[in-house]
Amino acid sequence: MYRIFLCLMAVLNFTALFAQKSILKFNADGNFKIVQFTDTHYKVDDQANSQIALDRMNEVLDTEKPDFVIFTGDVVVSNESFKGLDIVLEPCIKRNIPYAVVFGNHDDEYDHTRPELYDYIAKKKGCLMPVRTTEMAPDYVLTVKSSKDKNKDAAVLYCIDSHSYTSIKSVPGYDWIKFDQIAWYREQSRKFTKQNGGEPIPALAFFHIAIPEYRDAVMEEKNRLFGVRGEGVACPTTNSGFFTSVKECGDIMGMFVGHDHDNDYAVAYKEVLLAYGRYTGGNTVYNDLSSNGARVIVLKEGERKFNTYIRLANGEIESFVFYPDNFF
C-alpha cells in the first residue's frame, strides 16, 4: 500500500510539473521579458496613497510590454483583500499579460488565509498559478517554451513561498524555505535536466524574503553590486540550505526577491545573481527610494544569459546589467 501511495504521489508531482494553464514562449528574436512587481502594499482603505503603485504598474506595462509578470509578495495589505487583488491585478488582466504571484510575510495578515488568497488568484483570468491540490499554498514551476519548438522547455521559472515568521522561539525573526520545499525543487530540477539530455535548463527563482546568501554576498568586497543598497538584508537568521541545492542542481542563474523596500541591487554570489526587485508600492509603508518602479528581466534563449534593469517613471532606467558578463 505504501508503494502505491509513493507511485501516486510521483504521478501527481509529475502532472503538476507540466499542468501549466497557458504557454509562455520565447519570441522570434530569442527573448523572453519578465516584469517583477514587488511590495505593492495596496490598501483598500487608503486608495489615495495606493494609487501611486497602480500608476507605476500601468506605465511600466505600457512601456515594457512584457511576456510575463511576477508579483513577489506583499501585494494587498488591508482587509477586503479580494477587492484589493481585483484592483492590483487588473493592469495585467486588461492587457492580457499572463502573471503569477508568490506571497510575502504580510499578505495573509488580514481577512483571508494564504490558501484562500491562492485559490482566489489562481481562478482569475490570465493567472498561471496551478490549481491548489495541497492543504497549504504550494510552490510551483512555470516553463518557457522554445521559439523554434513548441514542445521544448527552454527556460524554467521556480515560484517559491518564503513564508513569514519563524515559530521557533530560540530562532527569532523571519522563516525560511523548508526542507520539503528544497526536496521539491531538487526533484523538479532533476526531471527537467533529465528531459534535456542531462543538461540543466536555464532557470530563475522568485520569492519574497531574501535568503542568508544575500547578506553574505554584500559582505564580500570582491562582489560587484549594481543598484541601491539602502538598508540591511532582512533574511532568516538560520540557513536551511536552499542555495546549496541550487548550486548542486546547476540550473538557477538568478534569484529575485522583494521585502526590503530600500534595496533594489543585484550582486553575483558564487556565480548566481542575487537581486532585489524595485519597490512598486505607494506611500502606504516605508520607502526611501527616489521613485517606485519594477525590475525587468530579459532571458536569452539557448544561453545561460539574461539582462536586467530597473524601470522607473517617465521612461527612466537604472542599473542595466548583463549576467554574467558584468559580474565575472
Side-chain angles (χ1 to χ4, degrees):
M1 190 68 180
Y2 182 65
R3 288 182 178 178
I4 294 174
F5 172 76
L6 289 179
C7 290
L8 178 60
M9 289 303 295
V11 170
L12 288 173
N13 285 338
F14 187 83
T15 302
L17 179 64
F18 294 102
Q20 192 166 314
K21 293 179 180 178
S22 64
I23 294 176
L24 300 175
K25 65 179 296 184
F26 284 90
N27 64 24
D29 294 328
N31 294 327
F32 182 81
K33 183 183 288 187
I34 301 167
V35 162
Q36 178 197 6
F37 292 129
T38 194
D39 297 85
T40 52
H41 275 264
Y42 189 89
K43 290 186 176 182
V44 175
D45 55 0
D46 189 3
Q47 295 190 25
N49 284 316
S50 296
Q51 184 63 37
I52 300 170
L54 301 179
D55 292 344
R56 190 67 62 248
M57 289 170 60
N58 280 301
E59 182 179 359
V60 168
L61 294 178
D62 285 342
T63 302
E64 292 291 347
K65 297 178 173 55
D67 301 297
F68 173 66
V69 170
I70 181 75
F71 293 83
T72 52
D74 288 358
V75 181
V76 177
V77 291
S78 71
N79 288 328
E80 297 187 273
S81 50
F82 285 175
K83 179 179 178 180
L85 286 167
D86 290 343
I87 295 169
V88 174
L89 299 177
E90 180 61 21
C92 293
I93 294 171
K94 71 181 182 182
R95 292 173 175 82
N96 294 312
I97 300 172
Y99 62 91
V101 176
V102 294
F103 294 124
N105 51 301
H106 292 307
D107 290 288
D108 59 351
E109 293 179 342
Y110 300 93
D111 54 347
H112 289 288
T113 66
R114 243 172 169 76
E116 288 171 342
L117 292 169
Y118 185 98
D119 291 348
Y120 187 78
I121 298 168
K123 293 175 183 177
K124 293 185 72 65
K125 178 185 175 183
C127 181
L128 298 188
M129 295 155 64
V131 175
R132 182 172 61 90
T133 59
T134 60
E135 182 179 349
M136 304 301 293
D139 299 332
Y140 54 94
V141 60
L142 303 174
T143 60
V144 184
K145 300 296 184 181
S146 168
S147 61
K148 305 174 184 63
D149 182 354
K150 65 180 181 180
N151 297 314
K152 178 180 174 57
D153 294 328
V156 176
L157 311 176
Y158 292 101
C159 303
I160 297 170
D161 192 336
S162 57
H163 309 293
S164 298
Y165 309 97
T166 173
S167 59
I168 301 174
K169 291 182 179 179
S170 60
V171 189
Y174 294 107
D175 211 345
W176 45 85
I177 297 172
K178 307 296 186 180
F179 293 150
D180 60 341
Q181 294 177 276
I182 297 171
W184 170 85
Y185 156 68
R186 293 178 69 96
E187 179 61 12
Q188 306 311 306
S189 179
R190 185 193 67 79
K191 290 176 181 177
F192 282 118
T193 298
K194 182 178 180 181
Q195 79 175 34
N196 197 43
E199 183 71 21
I201 298 176
L204 304 177
F206 298 91
F207 44 98
H208 181 70
I209 299 174
I211 57 176
E213 281 77 8
Y214 274 73
R215 178 193 59 211
D216 299 341
V218 296
M219 293 176 66
E220 291 186 0
E221 292 184 2
K222 67 182 180 66
N223 296 327
R224 299 185 68 187
L225 184 150
F226 296 86
V228 178
R229 183 188 178 199
E231 62 177 307
V233 177
C235 62
T237 58
T238 190
N239 195 321
S240 63
F242 176 63
F243 188 88
T244 300
S245 283
V246 165
K247 289 302 301 179
E248 289 180 344
C249 292
D251 55 349
I252 291 178
M253 304 178 291
M255 304 180 188
F256 300 86
V257 302
H259 188 55
D260 300 337
H261 304 172
D262 289 344
N263 291 333
D264 75 355
Y265 62 82
V267 59
Y269 184 65
K270 302 185 188 302
E271 300 184 358
V272 177
L273 190 70
L274 307 180
Y276 282 96
R278 179 75 171 211
Y279 175 77
T280 308
N283 296 326
T284 59
V285 71
Y286 85 94
N287 61 98
D288 298 310
L289 299 178
S290 60
S291 168
N292 63 337
R295 178 170 287 281
V296 182
I297 307 146
V298 182
L299 288 166
K300 305 294 182 181
E301 183 175 3
E303 301 182 82
R304 293 189 61 81
K305 291 183 178 181
F306 59 88
N307 59 48
T308 183
Y309 51 93
I310 301 299
R311 169 66 69 178
L312 303 175
N314 303 316
E316 186 177 353
I317 287 176
E318 290 184 352
S319 306
F320 194 112
V321 293
F322 294 93
Y323 171 89
D325 296 358
N326 289 135
F327 296 92
F328 309 117

Short mmCIF file of all heavy atoms in Angstrom, two decimals, residues 42 44 47 76 79-88 120:
data_model
loop_
_atom_site.label_atom_id
_atom_site.label_comp_id
_atom_site.label_asym_id
_atom_site.label_seq_id
_atom_site.Cartn_x
_atom_site.Cartn_y
_atom_site.Cartn_z
N TYR A 42 -0.77 47.45 -1.45
CA TYR A 42 -2.03 48.15 -1.74
C TYR A 42 -2.96 48.05 -0.53
O TYR A 42 -3.11 46.99 0.08
CB TYR A 42 -2.71 47.53 -2.96
CG TYR A 42 -3.89 48.34 -3.44
CD1 TYR A 42 -3.71 49.36 -4.37
CD2 TYR A 42 -5.16 48.10 -2.95
CE1 TYR A 42 -4.78 50.12 -4.80
CE2 TYR A 42 -6.24 48.86 -3.37
CZ TYR A 42 -6.03 49.87 -4.30
OH TYR A 42 -7.10 50.63 -4.71
N VAL A 44 -6.90 48.90 0.50
CA VAL A 44 -8.23 49.27 0.03
C VAL A 44 -8.74 50.51 0.77
O VAL A 44 -9.45 51.34 0.19
CB VAL A 44 -9.20 48.08 0.20
CG1 VAL A 44 -10.63 48.46 -0.17
CG2 VAL A 44 -8.74 46.89 -0.65
N GLN A 47 -6.76 54.34 -0.69
CA GLN A 47 -6.59 54.28 -2.14
C GLN A 47 -5.81 55.47 -2.70
O GLN A 47 -5.17 55.36 -3.74
CB GLN A 47 -7.95 54.15 -2.81
CG GLN A 47 -8.65 52.84 -2.49
CD GLN A 47 -9.88 52.58 -3.33
OE1 GLN A 47 -9.99 53.08 -4.44
NE2 GLN A 47 -10.79 51.77 -2.81
N VAL A 76 -1.46 42.95 -1.30
CA VAL A 76 -2.53 43.71 -0.65
C VAL A 76 -2.35 43.59 0.86
O VAL A 76 -2.23 42.49 1.38
CB VAL A 76 -3.92 43.20 -1.07
CG1 VAL A 76 -5.02 43.94 -0.32
CG2 VAL A 76 -4.11 43.34 -2.57
N ASN A 79 -7.70 44.72 4.96
CA ASN A 79 -8.91 43.93 4.81
C ASN A 79 -9.54 44.21 3.44
O ASN A 79 -9.12 45.12 2.73
CB ASN A 79 -9.90 44.25 5.94
CG ASN A 79 -9.43 43.67 7.27
OD1 ASN A 79 -8.78 42.62 7.32
ND2 ASN A 79 -9.73 44.36 8.36
N GLU A 80 -10.55 43.39 3.10
CA GLU A 80 -11.10 43.40 1.75
C GLU A 80 -10.01 43.05 0.74
O GLU A 80 -9.90 43.65 -0.34
CB GLU A 80 -11.73 44.75 1.40
CG GLU A 80 -12.92 45.14 2.27
CD GLU A 80 -13.59 46.40 1.77
OE1 GLU A 80 -13.14 47.49 2.18
OE2 GLU A 80 -14.55 46.30 0.96
N SER A 81 -9.20 42.06 1.10
CA SER A 81 -8.04 41.73 0.27
C SER A 81 -8.44 41.19 -1.10
O SER A 81 -7.70 41.41 -2.07
CB SER A 81 -7.13 40.75 1.00
OG SER A 81 -7.85 39.65 1.51
N PHE A 82 -9.58 40.52 -1.21
CA PHE A 82 -10.03 40.08 -2.54
C PHE A 82 -10.30 41.30 -3.44
O PHE A 82 -9.92 41.31 -4.61
CB PHE A 82 -11.29 39.23 -2.44
CG PHE A 82 -11.05 37.82 -1.94
CD1 PHE A 82 -12.13 36.97 -1.71
CD2 PHE A 82 -9.78 37.33 -1.72
CE1 PHE A 82 -11.94 35.67 -1.26
CE2 PHE A 82 -9.57 36.03 -1.27
CZ PHE A 82 -10.66 35.20 -1.04
N LYS A 83 -10.95 42.30 -2.88
CA LYS A 83 -11.21 43.52 -3.64
C LYS A 83 -9.90 44.18 -4.04
O LYS A 83 -9.74 44.65 -5.18
CB LYS A 83 -12.05 44.49 -2.81
CG LYS A 83 -12.37 45.80 -3.50
CD LYS A 83 -13.22 46.70 -2.62
CE LYS A 83 -13.50 48.04 -3.30
NZ LYS A 83 -14.33 48.92 -2.44
N GLY A 84 -8.94 44.20 -3.11
CA GLY A 84 -7.64 44.77 -3.43
C GLY A 84 -6.93 44.02 -4.53
O GLY A 84 -6.31 44.62 -5.42
N LEU A 85 -7.02 42.70 -4.51
CA LEU A 85 -6.39 41.90 -5.56
C LEU A 85 -7.02 42.17 -6.92
O LEU A 85 -6.32 42.23 -7.94
CB LEU A 85 -6.49 40.41 -5.21
CG LEU A 85 -5.55 39.94 -4.09
CD1 LEU A 85 -5.94 38.55 -3.62
CD2 LEU A 85 -4.10 39.96 -4.56
N ASP A 86 -8.34 42.33 -6.93
CA ASP A 86 -9.01 42.66 -8.19
C ASP A 86 -8.41 43.92 -8.80
O ASP A 86 -8.17 44.00 -10.01
CB ASP A 86 -10.51 42.88 -7.95
CG ASP A 86 -11.26 41.61 -7.61
OD1 ASP A 86 -10.71 40.52 -7.85
OD2 ASP A 86 -12.38 41.72 -7.09
N ILE A 87 -8.14 44.90 -7.95
CA ILE A 87 -7.63 46.19 -8.42
C ILE A 87 -6.17 46.07 -8.87
O ILE A 87 -5.78 46.56 -9.94
CB ILE A 87 -7.77 47.24 -7.31
CG1 ILE A 87 -9.25 47.50 -7.01
CG2 ILE A 87 -7.06 48.55 -7.69
CD1 ILE A 87 -9.50 48.32 -5.76
N VAL A 88 -5.34 45.40 -8.06
CA VAL A 88 -3.91 45.33 -8.35
C VAL A 88 -3.62 44.46 -9.58
O VAL A 88 -2.70 44.76 -10.36
CB VAL A 88 -3.14 44.80 -7.13
CG1 VAL A 88 -1.67 44.57 -7.46
CG2 VAL A 88 -3.25 45.78 -5.97
N TYR A 120 -8.15 32.23 -4.82
CA TYR A 120 -8.82 33.36 -5.45
C TYR A 120 -8.02 33.86 -6.65
O TYR A 120 -8.57 34.11 -7.73
CB TYR A 120 -9.03 34.48 -4.44
CG TYR A 120 -9.86 35.62 -4.98
CD1 TYR A 120 -11.25 35.50 -5.06
CD2 TYR A 120 -9.27 36.80 -5.42
CE1 TYR A 120 -12.02 36.54 -5.58
CE2 TYR A 120 -10.03 37.84 -5.93
CZ TYR A 120 -11.41 37.70 -6.01
OH TYR A 120 -12.17 38.72 -6.52
#
